[in-house]
Structures are given as structure tokens and as C-alpha cells.
Amino acid sequence: MKKFILVIMFGLLHFGVAQAQQIQWYKATEISYKYIYNGKWTNWSDWEKVNINIKMDITNDIVVIYSNEPQVYKIIKQLPSPYDSTGSQIKFQMIDQDADIGNIRLRVENNGNSQIYIDFADISWVYNVRRIR
């Protein structure tokens, strides 16, 4: 079920009708982040330019973000999709390479921009992404 939804979300909704591929590659072009400071969430940071490859291995339910320190996320289960008046989202619980549990959200804005959110209890970041293959 997760695999089907991932393919639908980033394959069909945003990038046109295509065959379901087992591995999809994306390029992150910008990043923004927020974190807990003095018990409250900060505002999102300004967008920073990045050039980072992201691999979605649909067969194995793994997302790898090839930043300076690679981030590996194993999808555990699908969660209810958050309400989003300016786009559509799908949300999953995941575990990272350090055994930390968090959420990953895949979002497509109404204007067509695609994003990947990584959420933990005390920090979140978001990448603007585009599919490259």
C-alpha cells in the first residue's frame, strides 16, 4: 500500500503518467528548517540553495538523502495525511540511521512544487525537490 501511494503521489500526480519504477531519483534545490528553542518552535528559516540527490527505493521502503552526511530513512507505516489547503500531502512514520523515530511527509503544492519534509520531535526540515529520473 505504501509503495502504491508513493508512486501515485510523486509519479502520477506531479510528474505525469509514467510506469511505476522501483527507484526514483530527485534533486533537492533548496532547504529550510525550524527547531525547538526555549520550548517553542522557531519560524522556518530562509530558503538556502542546495544540490542534493535523493533516492526513493520503493521496493524496500527506503529514502536516502545524499547530503554531506547521508540520511537513511526506513518507512515503518503510513500515517493519516495532514490537512493542506495549499496542496496535498502523504505522511509516513520512519526510523533513521541512528534509530531515531520521526515522520517524513511528501507534499505537492497546488502550484506543482514538490517537497519532502523530515520531522522529529525537536527539529524539522524541508527540501524543495524535482524529479530527475
Side-chain angles (χ1 to χ4, degrees), residues 12 21 61 73 89-90 94 107 119 128 132:
L12 300 179
Q21 297 178 17
D61 291 327
Y73 303 108
Q89 295 187 46
I90 188 165
M94 53 74 172
R107 181 171 186 250
D119 301 316
N128 281 327
I132 56 176

Side-chain angles (χ1 to χ4, degrees), residues 62-77:
I62 294 175
V63 177
V64 181
I65 300 175
Y66 293 96
S67 53
N68 290 340
E69 274 192 45
Q71 306 162 52
V72 180
Y73 303 108
K74 173 71 176 160
I75 303 298
I76 299 170
K77 65 180 178 180

Side-chain angles (χ1 to χ4, degrees), residues 50-114:
V50 295
N51 184 16
I52 298 171
N53 289 325
I54 299 171
K55 177 175 76 171
M56 290 193 186
D57 182 341
I58 296 166
T59 301
N60 297 304
D61 291 327
I62 294 175
V63 177
V64 181
I65 300 175
Y66 293 96
S67 53
N68 290 340
E69 274 192 45
Q71 306 162 52
V72 180
Y73 303 108
K74 173 71 176 160
I75 303 298
I76 299 170
K77 65 180 178 180
Q78 184 179 353
L79 299 171
S81 296
Y83 172 75
D84 189 338
S85 64
T86 60
S88 58
Q89 295 187 46
I90 188 165
K91 184 176 181 179
F92 299 96
Q93 185 178 56
M94 53 74 172
I95 186 166
D96 73 5
Q97 68 280 346
D98 300 319
D100 295 321
I101 302 285
N103 297 317
I104 187 166
R105 292 182 286 139
L106 309 177
R107 181 171 186 250
V108 178
E109 295 179 311
N110 290 336
N111 66 7
N113 185 50
S114 296

